[in-house]
């Protein structure tokens, strides 16, 4: 990686000049913050006191024994406050916002999970929070809109364009350019122009910092493979980060077969950065549909694009149907209902485990809990009322 946030040919910052200036200030401030022991200490303290870290690395004994083969461990991001890994990044960026003297935090959200994590962190730090959301997404995610409002955030309906995530991103960027002097844009995944992918990775790396220490304590050795689902790629990059130099550890990202950016995408610039992405005939980001809303993104973080290209990362797809089966298997065998996103990683881990030996270890990053998905799965099984 260079100073400009390049990962091989991917990443970078392809934005208008006025936005570029704002992002440069952010990049400089982030470089200082990550080397400031006081900043790191406060981040660690909030993660401990508010998020509930460190979370366990649970041996999934029943699942492992049923499958045969490798031992499967689960990194329990599902046990974090608000039920997923997204809060790690939201806390880190809010601390940076505070450090930079921001008075308002803005964010965009599609399915609502990043909006809820941002609103939660803003409530905790007493910072004004504005969430941009496409008009259509607001209708589909009415309960998450209400959650954000309960947390004191203002949810702004974006009617422009299709009234979806992309339009919400445009609205949030417009707000940032206009109000950059007092406003911080809190991005939710390891995507977007520099410095966001590096920043999000830094804050999510706590996942593998913990899991590496935990697995060495429990097993006295490193895992054979680390497996995580990829939407934009933030939980996966955090789960991989501290194993990057351990060449023997396989790093496996699992995409939904319905949005396979890495497996079928081509290099292109979307949303201000270059990555492997799915394009339609006109060269625009292709609409995708995954049963897991958090994985529904036509692109992927630049570092994953690079890991794929160099071969350091392996990327595979799992269908919604396979994820749904894994959702049920993990619930029944371990008493843990996973998020549908995480169930993609579980599904692939079950297959990999069978191919490995008993002395092998797999760590699955359980990015979130499934409470949010129970109603959707119910409707898929029993038919929706509508
Ligand atoms: C948002 C989300 C994801 C996907 O986002 P990444 O940035 O790829 O991690 C995965 N799992 C859960 C539970 C999520 O909420």
């Amino acid at each position: 990686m260079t100073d400009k946030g390049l990962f091989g040919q991917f990443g970078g910052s392809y934005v208008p000049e006025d936005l570029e200036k704002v992002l440069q200030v952010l990049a400089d401030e982030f470089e200082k913050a990550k080397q400031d022991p006081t900043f790191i200490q406060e981040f660690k303290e909030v993660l401990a006191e508010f998020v509930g870290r460190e979370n366990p690395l649970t041996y999934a004994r029943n699942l492992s024994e049923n499958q045969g083969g490798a031992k499967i461990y689960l990194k329990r991001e599902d046990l974090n406050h608000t039920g997923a890994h997204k809060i790690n990044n939201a806390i880190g960026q809010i601390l940076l916002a505070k450090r930079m003297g921001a008075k308002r935090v803005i964010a965009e959200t599609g399915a609502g999970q990043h909006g809820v994590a941002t609103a939660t962190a803003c409530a905790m730090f007493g910072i004004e929070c504005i969430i941009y959301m496409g008009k259509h997404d607001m209708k589909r995610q009415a309960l998450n809109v209400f959650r954000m409002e309960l947390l004191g955030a203002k949810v702004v309906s974006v009617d422009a364009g299709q009234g979806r995530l992309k339009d919400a991103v445009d609205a949030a960027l417009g707000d940032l350019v206009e109000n950059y002097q007092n406003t911080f844009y809190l991005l939710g995944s390891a995507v977007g122009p520099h410095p966001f992918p590096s920043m999000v990775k830094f804050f999510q790396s706590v996942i593998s910092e913990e899991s590496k220490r935990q697995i060495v304590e429990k097993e006295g050795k490193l895992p054979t493979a680390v497996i995580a689902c990829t939407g934009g790629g933030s939980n996966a990059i955090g789960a991989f980060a501290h194993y990057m130099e351990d060449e023997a550890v396989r790093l496996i990202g699992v995409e939904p077969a319905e949005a396979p950016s890495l497996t079928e995408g081509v290099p292109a610039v979307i949303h201000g950065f270059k990555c492997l992405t799915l394009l339609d005939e006109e060269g625009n980001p292709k609409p995708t549909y995954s049963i897991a809303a958090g994985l529904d993104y036509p692109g992927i973080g630049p570092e994953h694009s690079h890991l794929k290209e160099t071969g350091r990362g392996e990327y595979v797809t799992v269908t919604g149907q396979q994820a749904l089966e894994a959702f049920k298997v993990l619930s029944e065998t371990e008493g843990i209902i996973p998020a549908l996103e995480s169930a993609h990683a579980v599904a692939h881990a079950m297959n990999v485990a069978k191919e490995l030996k008993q002395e092998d270890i797999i760590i699955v990053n359980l990015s979130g809990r499934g409470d949010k998905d129970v109603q959707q799965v119910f409707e898929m099984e029993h038919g929706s009322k509508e």
Side-chain angles (χ1 to χ4, degrees):
M1 200 196 89
T2 72
D3 289 347
K4 293 196 195 76
L6 288 177
F7 302 87
Q9 64 160 316
F10 299 107
S13 180
Y14 298 80
V15 296
E17 210 173 316
D18 42 359
L19 187 53
E20 180 58 40
K21 281 188 205 135
V22 178
L23 294 177
Q24 193 52 51
V25 173
L26 176 62
D28 293 344
E29 195 57 43
F30 169 60
E31 282 308 312
K32 282 184 223 150
K34 74 178 192 192
Q35 284 161 37
D36 177 352
T38 325
F39 180 81
I40 300 300
Q41 193 191 341
E42 191 176 4
F43 179 51
K44 289 289 161 77
E45 264 171 32
V46 179
L47 289 182
E49 298 296 321
F50 186 65
V51 176
R53 301 199 79 96
E54 73 178 41
N55 58 41
L57 181 69
T58 307
Y59 174 41
R61 180 184 301 278
N62 300 329
L63 183 69
S64 306
E65 288 178 356
N66 288 359
Q67 287 306 122
K71 278 182 156 178
I72 302 174
Y73 279 86
L74 306 171
K75 182 58 178 156
R76 302 294 305 279
E77 295 303 306
D78 63 311
L79 294 180
N80 294 343
H81 177 47
T82 65
H85 68 289
K86 285 196 174 73
I87 191 79
N88 304 326
N89 170 55
I91 297 290
Q93 288 194 45
I94 291 269
L95 286 172
L96 198 57
K98 252 186 39 174
R99 186 186 161 97
M100 294 174 75
K103 299 281 175 284
R104 319 160 63 229
V105 163
I106 61 173
E108 90 294 331
T109 194
Q113 277 128 259
H114 172 56
V116 171
T118 303
T120 301
C122 285
M124 215 281 264
F125 285 100
I127 294 187
E128 184 186 352
C129 180
I130 294 111
I131 306 288
Y132 288 95
M133 201 165 175
K135 180 175 72 176
H136 289 287
D137 290 333
M138 275 183 79
K139 231 181 266 167
R140 287 197 305 181
Q141 301 290 340
L143 209 54
N144 273 338
V145 173
F146 184 57
R147 269 194 194 103
M148 290 179 246
E149 287 169 351
L150 278 176
L151 292 159
K154 184 172 158 216
V155 183
V156 178
S157 170
V158 179
D159 300 345
Q162 315 252 301
R164 303 223 184 263
L165 179 63
K166 185 194 173 299
D167 311 297
V169 174
D170 291 341
L173 286 174
D175 180 323
L176 179 64
V177 168
E178 203 167 303
N179 301 301
Y180 69 93
Q181 270 149 335
N182 68 352
T183 299
F184 187 97
Y185 183 13
L186 207 159
L187 205 88
S189 190
V191 297
H194 180 65
F196 284 110
S198 304
M199 218 159 74
V200 174
K201 176 190 185 182
F202 181 79
F203 294 129
Q204 292 293 1
S205 292
V206 64
I207 300 173
S208 49
E209 184 186 330
E210 288 177 9
S211 79
K212 194 171 185 178
R213 179 167 14 87
Q214 289 169 314
I215 200 66
V216 170
E217 267 167 29
K218 284 171 196 280
E219 295 279 354
K221 61 178 179 185
L222 294 180
T224 308
V226 179
I227 303 182
C229 64
T230 62
S234 72
N235 88 91
I237 209 70
F240 294 173
H242 285 265
Y243 300 99
M244 222 62 103
E245 312 293 316
D246 303 303
E247 296 287 336
V249 179
R250 291 169 63 188
L251 306 176
I252 308 178
V254 183
E255 309 190 284
E258 299 78 10
S261 346
L262 286 162
T263 356
E264 289 176 21
V266 294
V269 173
I270 60 163
H271 305 158
F273 71 107
K274 190 171 179 186
C275 67
L276 289 172
T277 180
L278 300 165
L279 299 176
D280 64 17
E281 289 87 56
E282 272 118 64
N284 297 315
K286 200 172 173 173
T288 54
Y289 177 76
S290 164
I291 60 164
L295 302 184
D296 222 352
Y297 182 63
I300 176 77
E303 192 167 3
H304 288 293
S305 303
H306 183 58
L307 290 172
K308 155 90 182 177
E309 205 168 66
T310 60
R312 178 67 188 95
E314 301 168 44
Y315 295 89
V316 299
T317 61
V318 153
T319 64
Q321 190 55 40
Q322 291 169 312
L324 190 58
E325 270 153 40
F327 176 88
K328 292 180 198 161
V329 170
L330 193 71
S331 301
E332 279 176 28
T333 56
E334 297 293 338
I336 299 170
I337 303 180
L340 281 172
E341 290 85 357
S342 323
H344 285 73
V346 175
H348 187 63
M350 284 160 52
N351 291 334
V352 174
K354 276 186 270 194
E355 293 159 11
L356 296 177
K357 296 194 279 299
Q358 259 169 342
E359 58 268 27
D360 287 315
I361 297 160
I362 296 175
I363 293 180
V364 179
N365 196 42
L366 209 68
S367 55
R369 70 175 81 125
D371 304 33
K372 67 180 179 59
D373 299 319
V374 169
Q375 174 154 11
Q376 184 189 339
V377 173
F378 177 82
E379 283 169 8
M380 282 175 350
E381 308 265 295
H382 300 270
S384 156
K385 276 174 292 183
E386 290 152 289

